[in-house]
Amino acid sequence: MKCPQAVLVLLSLVPAFGQDPLEIVRKSVNHDLSNWQRVKDYTYVRRTVMRERDSQGAIKKVNQSADEILILYGQPYERQIEKDGKPLSPEAQKKEQLKLDKTAVKRRGETVSERAKRLESFQRDRQKERDFAREVPDAYNFKLLGEEVINGRKAWIIDATPRPDYEAKNSRAAMLKKFRGRMWIDQKEFQWVRLDGEAIDTVTWGLFLARLAKGSKIFFEQLRVNDEVWMPKVIRIVLDARLALLKRLQGDIVLQFENFRKFQSDSHIVEAAELE
C-alpha cells in the first residue's frame, strides 16, 4: 500500500519537529557569542547603498560608499575606498592614507598601559553592543516550522514572537519586544544563517531623539568563511524613521560584505594597502 503524499511530507518533518526550538535558540546565542570573538580577527570590505524615498515611494536620493575594515594595533579601523560607486580620486585617497598613517603613528607610540587601556575600552564597548543577544531566548516564544537547505547546509526555520511578560534586564534589549521575526539556524553549528524581522510597534532611541516606525524591516544573512567563522554577507533595512522628532527618513539601506581575510598578528600596518 502506498503512503499518501501528505503522510510522506509529515514523516519527513519528524526529525525537525523533534527538536525544542527554545533550546536551539539558546545554543545559537552561545555559539554566536563565541563566533563574534573570532570575527574581530578578520578584515573585509563593506559596501553601503542608501536609497532615500519620498512619501510616494519614489527614489529621490542615493548614496553609495565602500569602506575597508582593517585591524590596526588590535582594533578595527575604517578606511573609505569608494564614493558614489567609484574609486576615490587620487586626492581623496591621499587624505584617507594620511588619516590612516596618523592613527597608526598614534597607536604605535602608545605605552603598554595606554594600549591595554584602549583595547579594554574597545572590548567593553563591543560587549555592550552584544549583551542584548543573551536575552533573546527569554524575550520570545518560538515555533519550529521545519527546515530548509541554504548554501548546501540544513537550517531550522523558527518563528519568534515577543512574550507579553518579558521584562528586559539590559536597556538595549528593551527593543526586542517590539520586533517579531523568523530565523534560520544552521543545524550543524547553530549559527544564524538568516534573520527576517519586522517592527510591530514604534521603536525609540536616545530619549525620543530617533524613532523607527511600525512596519520597518530588517534582514540579514551570514556565510561560512575559511571553515572557521561566520561573517555577515548582507544586511538590508527598510525603514521609516524620524530623527530628532523633526526630519522624516524613508528608504532602505543595504550593507554588503566581501573580501574577507584573516588578519595575521605578526603583519605590519604597511601591508594593509595590499589588502585592496
Side-chain angles (χ1 to χ4, degrees):
M1 179 178 179
K2 295 182 177 180
C3 293
Q5 186 67 30
V7 173
L8 292 175
V9 172
L10 288 174
L11 289 174
S12 70
L13 294 177
V14 169
F17 281 83
Q19 301 289 332
D20 178 2
L22 176 58
E23 185 60 25
I24 292 173
V25 174
R26 286 191 190 282
K27 287 183 179 180
S28 74
V29 170
N30 291 333
H31 283 242
D32 174 70
L33 291 172
S34 61
N35 180 78
W36 172 71
Q37 291 296 336
R38 294 191 293 271
V39 168
K40 64 180 176 58
D41 295 328
Y42 275 77
T43 67
Y44 54 90
V45 171
R46 181 188 63 218
R47 299 187 181 279
T48 305
V49 178
M50 181 173 180
R51 301 178 182 88
E52 190 174 345
R53 301 177 183 273
D54 60 23
S55 58
Q56 304 302 315
I59 297 175
K60 64 178 184 179
K61 187 178 181 181
V62 178
N63 289 320
Q64 298 184 65
S65 65
D67 298 279
E68 185 177 31
I69 314 303
L70 306 171
I71 307 299
L72 185 58
Y73 293 97
Q75 188 172 341
Y77 177 90
E78 298 184 12
R79 177 174 65 174
Q80 188 175 33
I81 58 176
E82 291 183 13
K83 185 177 181 180
D84 298 327
K86 300 178 181 179
L88 295 182
S89 65
E91 181 180 358
Q93 288 184 38
K94 185 177 180 180
K95 289 182 179 180
E96 287 295 318
Q97 187 62 48
L98 287 174
K99 289 194 295 183
L100 173 60
D101 292 343
K102 183 178 180 179
T103 304
V105 169
K106 180 179 179 181
R107 294 183 183 178
R108 186 186 304 126
E110 294 172 324
T111 64
V112 174
S113 61
E114 287 173 338
R115 181 165 301 172
K117 185 177 180 180
R118 171 175 59 82
L119 293 178
E120 182 182 352
S121 176
F122 164 66
Q123 282 294 94
R124 186 168 54 249
D125 291 342
R126 240 181 128 242
Q127 189 63 52
K128 286 181 180 179
E129 294 176 358
R130 208 65 175 184
D131 278 345
F132 80 94
R134 298 181 186 275
E135 297 196 37
V136 169
D138 300 324
Y140 294 95
N141 290 317
F142 301 101
K143 182 178 180 180
L144 184 58
L145 302 181
E147 61 181 36
E148 182 178 346
V149 177
I150 301 177
N151 297 325
R153 303 177 66 98
K154 287 185 177 181
W156 286 297
I157 309 172
I158 298 176
D159 264 1
T161 54
R163 289 178 50 184
D165 60 342
Y166 168 65
E167 294 292 338
K169 301 179 182 66
N170 181 289
S171 59
R172 299 189 182 193
M175 70 175 67
L176 291 176
K177 60 185 177 182
K178 297 190 176 183
F179 284 90
R180 66 183 174 196
R182 177 171 295 179
M183 57 187 74
W184 286 255
I185 299 177
D186 185 81
Q187 292 187 9
K188 185 177 180 181
E189 299 195 7
F190 290 91
Q191 293 293 333
W192 291 21
V193 183
R194 287 180 183 166
L195 172 69
D196 200 347
E198 179 182 3
I200 57 176
D201 197 357
T202 301
V203 183
T204 303
W205 285 279
L207 296 177
F208 307 101
L209 291 180
R211 287 182 178 178
L212 188 66
K214 176 181 178 181
S216 297
K217 298 181 180 181
I218 180 170
F219 169 89
F220 87 78
E221 185 172 335
Q222 294 194 112
L223 74 163
R224 184 78 166 152
V225 175
N226 287 348
D227 200 31
E228 70 167 358
V229 65
W230 289 76
M231 300 292 292
K233 178 182 178 182
V234 61
I235 299 175
R236 183 168 60 250
I237 304 172
V238 179
L239 55 80
D240 182 353
R242 193 171 295 277
L243 307 179
L245 303 185
L246 297 174
K247 181 181 179 181
R248 187 179 184 186
L249 179 62
Q250 291 178 292
D252 59 89
I253 302 172
V254 178
L255 306 174
Q256 292 183 303
F257 303 82
E258 57 189 47
N259 294 356
F260 301 106
R261 301 197 180 190
K262 190 171 184 177
F263 176 77
Q264 302 299 319
S265 59
D266 58 350
S267 298
H268 298 292
I269 188 59
V270 293
E271 295 174 343
E274 299 174 6
L275 293 176
E276 295 181 2

